[in-house]
Amino acid sequence: MRDAGGRKARDVLAVGGRLLGAARSLLADHENAVGAVRTALAPLVDELAAHELESIPAARLKDVTQGRLRLGAIEAAGHTSVRQVLDAGRYGLRQIAGVGPQTADQAYAAARQIAEAVGETVAVRIDVDHPEPRTTALVIALHRLVQAGPDAARAVEAARQADAELGPPLARAAEAGGWLRQRFAGREARARAQAAVDAVAELCERADQRGTALLIGQASVDLLRGPADEIEAWVDFELRSADYYSLLAELSGGGPDVAAAEGFLPSEVAERVRSQPLDGTHRRVSLRGYQAFGARFALAQRRVLLGDEMGLGKTIQAIAALAHLAAQGGTHFLVVCPAGVLVNWTREIGARSTLRAVPLHGAERQEAFAEWRAKGGVAVTTYDALRGFPPPDGGPRVAMLVVDEAHYVKNPETRRSLAVAAWAARGERVLFMTGTPMENRVAEFRSLVRHLQPGLLDRPGAAERAGAAGSQAFRRAVAPAYLRRNQRDVLAELPALVHTDEWADFSAADQDAYRTAVLAGNFMAMRRAAYADPEKSAKLLRLREIVAEAAGSGRKVVVFSYFRDVLGTVADALGPAVHGPLTGSVPPARRQQMVDGFTAAHGHAVLLAQIEAGGVGLNLQAASVVILCEPQVKPTIEHQAVARAHRMGQPRPVRVHRLLSTTGVDERLLAILRGKARLFDAYARRSDVAEAVADAVDVSDVSLARQIVEEEQRRLAGKDG
């Protein structure tokens, strides 16, 4: 019996030892891979930091020492920047006439302090179009970890847990010695040895249930692969640069300011969100810090509006929240979105999680709805289709309702808003998502918040007092339900966004078409008069030039217009090779096919898109040139369209060309748009200056059109007189 017991104990300890050895090997392999990234990153960071320090005058050292430092002699000796002070070092500074040891030491210490701060904030940008040896080395080093994927991160965490839990009982069992020695040991020693063996057995059984050994083994294989060649690594980087930058931010310890990543929420709300667990069992994507916070915000606050600027991964944050709830036992989830992004949502759920997506769309949507009610999963439907599905009065509850592009329900009286409200009232958690929570009025923003947490603004006089007090008071009032982060605050690695207003004089044909539209009082015809005669259109000539320039450098172009006939004119001008036009009448699946074909095209390509169709939900980061055929009535429409290309995952600088006429409607429209943009900044986007009160700017499309038409009629009448 003792021999059988001894064999069993030895077997248990052998299994535990193998698991511990595999865990420690994985941790060592992972540390080597991380070390390779940091080794490749260091010279790039040092160069950026040195450049930054060169631009900081030495006089700023006084700020670090509260003005006590005397720098006259140091500056007179030619050390006029913080970098020059650092390069001189303590000894060099002490050799300067009039600089004592204490001053030299203080100046150098202050310079080091600034250098450390700069080193933490510089962001390395990888230029895919101009690779050089140092960035190539970094991309190759990152490639190994990116290829291992999010499973590697889970494996490393499991390995750390195995090391911490298995190490001590295995050590205690080893100290107890063999089974024969235990026969002659005292009762207490045998009990300790048996307790250690039992602990190892329990831990090994738990690890077996979780599949820890398999997870660690696969990650070890992935991390031990040889380095990729340059071409393979660069191609992979271009295809999924967001994954590379996410990993780079994580390993470098850089990234956004914590307050910015947390949307500048009040401390009590932020603390509650931080303490919310986030289970990644059903997730297949690594999250950036701000994305994990966004998912936790949705879970902790339960009924919220995620207003992140376009391109920050709101869809991924929603899927992370759904995956967490699934791990906690949630079975039924519902996503409501515009028709144009239904296919994209279905794909993302399958790619980013282990959850089952169930599209409720098309002729068989009622059968799909019945199947979802019976079996569960993530149902994905459109605003229009939602009206045909009765909100659940019994059976499984919807663990989370996600409403994408939630500004579609800003008007509470519409049928789509009433349908969403009925489902939201029966959901345990509700997540509204939109990068444009307010377009014309703060009242629209309040309407979205009332869908979620009406008590925030429905207290007697609360909304009015918040509006009258200005934007900061309003943001504080809605903070428990509203989280927004902007690209500039949390994506330091985003490539440059270069806006160019392309002004062109009306041709004689343009002028004639414009005059006819003004006299007829036709605002829409006024907006597209510059394309009335394609052969003589000044805007179209400039558009051709921009496209030709992009073709010369192999860049992809997306052309946006509000008007289908303008897109038709552009298509005729550019020839049959263009993709699209992508319009509101194109079925969702066909829209995605157009985008896929555009993305897959080798080198230069052009996609034509109606701005309110292509500007919503689709990812167009294959394009690095954006052309806006005319200014839009709402600034958020332009922002949304541009953000389809300038978003996380875009490896190239994005150039935006807005085509404008020097006379006519364009200039007057821009002046009004600037006021509307200020309103949005003050109330929905974080801003240090509150420039408006609640309804300072209230411009509907109809009133704007009437105002401009009347002004232009008076102007032309005066000119004719």
Side-chain angles (χ1 to χ4, degrees):
M1 290 294 295
R2 287 187 181 277
D3 288 341
R7 283 195 299 273
K8 183 177 180 181
R10 286 193 294 272
D11 290 344
V12 166
L13 295 179
V15 171
R18 286 195 295 271
L19 181 59
L20 180 62
R24 288 176 173 172
S25 293
L26 174 63
L27 292 175
D29 294 339
H30 182 259
E31 186 56 38
N32 288 336
V34 169
V37 172
R38 289 178 173 150
T39 298
L41 180 63
L44 295 169
V45 171
D46 289 346
E47 180 181 333
L48 288 171
H51 180 74
E52 185 74 17
L53 292 170
E54 187 63 44
S55 68
I56 300 175
R60 294 296 302 274
L61 298 174
K62 292 181 180 179
D63 298 340
V64 181
T65 59
Q66 289 79 46
R68 296 191 302 270
L69 191 60
R70 296 180 179 179
L71 294 169
I74 292 176
E75 291 176 310
H79 304 303
T80 57
S81 71
V82 173
R83 179 183 178 181
Q84 289 170 334
V85 172
L86 272 177
D87 289 345
R90 283 193 177 89
Y91 179 78
L93 294 174
R94 290 185 180 189
Q95 307 311 306
I96 300 172
V99 176
Q102 183 176 359
T103 299
D105 291 349
Q106 287 179 342
Y108 182 75
R112 290 283 302 173
Q113 191 172 338
I114 292 176
E116 289 173 6
V118 167
E120 292 173 358
T121 58
V122 295
V124 172
R125 291 181 174 87
I126 301 172
D127 189 346
V128 69
D129 290 320
H130 301 93
E132 49 98 7
R134 291 179 304 173
T135 53
T136 297
L138 177 59
V139 170
I140 290 173
L142 287 166
H143 178 267
R144 178 178 296 175
L145 289 165
V146 171
Q147 284 289 97
D151 283 346
R154 284 194 285 274
V156 168
E157 185 57 36
R160 290 195 180 107
Q161 184 176 357
D163 186 29
E165 292 179 347
L166 273 172
L170 280 170
R172 289 195 297 272
E175 290 173 3
W179 190 258
L180 182 61
R181 189 182 308 169
Q182 291 180 35
R183 293 178 59 182
F184 301 101
R187 181 179 301 174
E188 186 176 340
R190 289 199 301 273
R192 285 198 303 271
Q194 189 60 52
V197 171
D198 291 344
V200 171
E202 182 181 349
L203 290 168
C204 288
E205 182 179 357
R206 195 185 310 161
D208 185 57
Q209 292 171 350
R210 295 173 178 170
T212 300
L214 181 61
L215 183 66
I216 289 175
Q218 183 59 58
S220 293
V221 171
D222 292 336
L223 290 176
L224 286 174
R225 287 196 177 103
D229 62 39
E230 294 183 13
I231 295 176
E232 179 187 358
W234 275 113
V235 168
D236 193 59
F237 171 78
E238 187 168 357
L239 290 174
R240 46 177 177 164
S241 61
D243 293 339
Y244 282 76
Y245 277 124
S246 295
L247 183 61
L248 187 59
E250 178 185 339
L251 297 182
S252 66
D257 176 80
V258 173
E262 296 179 351
F264 302 95
L265 289 176
S267 58
E268 65 276 9
V269 177
E271 184 58 38
R272 183 162 58 251
V273 173
R274 289 187 210 111
S275 63
Q276 166 67 45
L278 185 61
D279 193 314
T281 303
H282 294 293
R283 188 174 7 105
R284 288 176 173 160
V285 60
S286 298
L287 301 178
R288 296 193 174 205
Y290 76 86
Q291 291 173 332
F293 186 86
R296 288 187 168 96
F297 179 79
L299 295 166
Q301 299 300 99
R302 303 183 73 85
R303 303 174 69 86
V304 300
L305 170 60
L306 180 59
D308 283 350
E309 195 170 19
M310 274 78 73
L312 294 184
K314 292 188 289 294
T315 300
I316 288 174
Q317 295 174 66
I319 291 173
L322 299 179
H324 170 88
L325 292 172
Q328 305 305 307
T331 57
H332 289 70
F333 310 93
L334 177 62
V335 174
V336 184
C337 62
V341 296
L342 184 141
V343 174
N344 189 62
W345 261 103
T346 304
R347 285 184 175 186
E348 287 291 287
I349 291 166
R352 309 292 188 176
S353 75
T354 63
L355 306 181
R356 185 176 74 107
V358 185
L360 307 183
H361 190 64
E364 299 180 353
R365 58 182 177 271
Q366 292 297 341
E367 291 82 353
F369 178 72
E371 182 202 354
W372 170 69
R373 291 294 305 276
K375 297 182 179 179
V378 185
V380 186
T381 192
T382 66
Y383 285 102
D384 291 336
L386 182 68
R387 300 202 304 269
F389 304 131
D393 290 323
R397 296 196 66 183
V398 176
M400 177 172 274
L401 167 66
V402 178
V403 181
D404 192 16
E405 305 293 349
H407 52 278
Y408 279 41
V409 296
K410 65 189 178 186
N411 183 346
E413 304 303 322
T414 62
R415 288 187 296 172
R416 65 170 57 148
S417 295
L418 294 173
V420 168
W423 278 87
R426 292 166 173 80
E428 295 182 29
R429 288 180 171 83
V430 181
L431 173 59
F432 278 15
M433 304 195 312
T434 173
T436 56
M438 178 177 60
E439 293 178 327
N440 291 325
R441 301 184 54 167
V442 175
E444 297 171 358
F445 187 65
R446 293 176 186 157
S447 175
L448 294 180
V449 173
R450 285 196 178 100
H451 276 291
L452 301 164
Q453 298 187 34
L456 288 179
L457 295 175
D458 283 353
R459 296 187 301 273
E464 289 74 14
R465 287 196 302 273
S471 60
Q472 293 193 19
F474 187 83
R475 285 197 302 273
R476 283 195 297 271
V478 300
Y482 177 57
L483 175 66
R484 179 179 175 88
R485 281 76 57 90
N486 299 314
Q487 285 188 353
R488 64 175 180 269
D489 293 329
V490 297
L491 285 187
E493 81 281 357
L494 261 184
L497 179 63
V498 182
H499 283 273
T500 303
D501 283 345
E502 305 280 359
W503 292 94
D505 293 329
F506 269 156
S507 68
D510 296 338
Q511 185 65 54
D512 289 343
Y514 184 72
R515 181 182 296 274
T516 300
V518 171
L519 295 177
N522 188 333
F523 179 64
M524 292 304 185
M526 290 164 58
R527 291 183 63 198
R528 60 186 190 272
Y531 300 93
D533 188 341
E535 295 299 322
K536 300 176 182 177
S537 168
K539 279 192 178 183
L540 197 56
L541 174 61
R542 181 60 187 134
L543 185 148
R544 284 199 197 99
E545 293 171 348
I546 295 168
V547 171
E549 181 184 350
S553 56
R555 291 177 175 268
K556 287 185 167 68
V557 181
V558 59
V559 179
F560 286 114
S561 176
Y562 181 84
F563 304 101
R564 296 188 189 189
D565 56 350
V566 170
L567 293 176
T569 299
V570 173
D572 291 341
L574 297 180
V578 298
H579 297 258
L582 194 160
T583 69
S585 63
V586 176
R590 178 59 185 145
R591 291 190 201 186
Q592 191 62 52
Q593 288 173 2
M594 287 181 181
V595 174
D596 291 346
F598 171 69
T599 301
H602 179 69
H604 170 70
V606 179
L607 173 68
L608 307 182
Q610 198 171 12
I611 198 163
E612 290 196 324
V616 175
L618 297 174
N619 297 329
L620 303 174
Q621 60 261 49
S624 57
V625 177
V626 176
I627 300 176
L628 304 171
C629 289
E630 71 284 320
Q632 303 305 307
V633 173
K634 297 173 182 176
T636 50
I637 293 176
E638 287 192 9
H639 296 162
Q640 197 171 36
V642 171
R644 295 297 141 215
H646 190 250
R647 61 194 296 115
M648 185 171 54
Q650 172 58 262
R652 291 180 169 85
V654 176
R655 303 170 187 168
V656 180
H657 301 266
R658 182 164 53 177
L659 305 180
L660 302 166
S661 299
T662 54
T663 56
V665 65
D666 290 358
E667 192 165 12
R668 296 178 184 277
L669 188 55
L670 290 182
I672 296 174
L673 291 178
R674 282 191 286 270
K676 296 172 83 173
R678 283 198 297 271
L679 174 69
F680 178 81
D681 284 344
Y683 282 86
R685 191 197 304 267
R686 183 179 181 269
S687 173
D688 293 328
V689 180
E691 298 184 77
V693 294
D695 296 311
V697 178
D698 178 12
V699 183
S700 67
D701 295 357
V702 175
S703 63
L704 181 147
R706 186 184 305 115
Q707 174 187 340
I708 292 179
V709 167
E710 291 174 353
E711 288 178 357
E712 285 297 276
Q713 286 176 338
R714 287 194 298 269
R715 183 180 69 83
L716 289 181
K719 188 175 180 180
D720 292 341

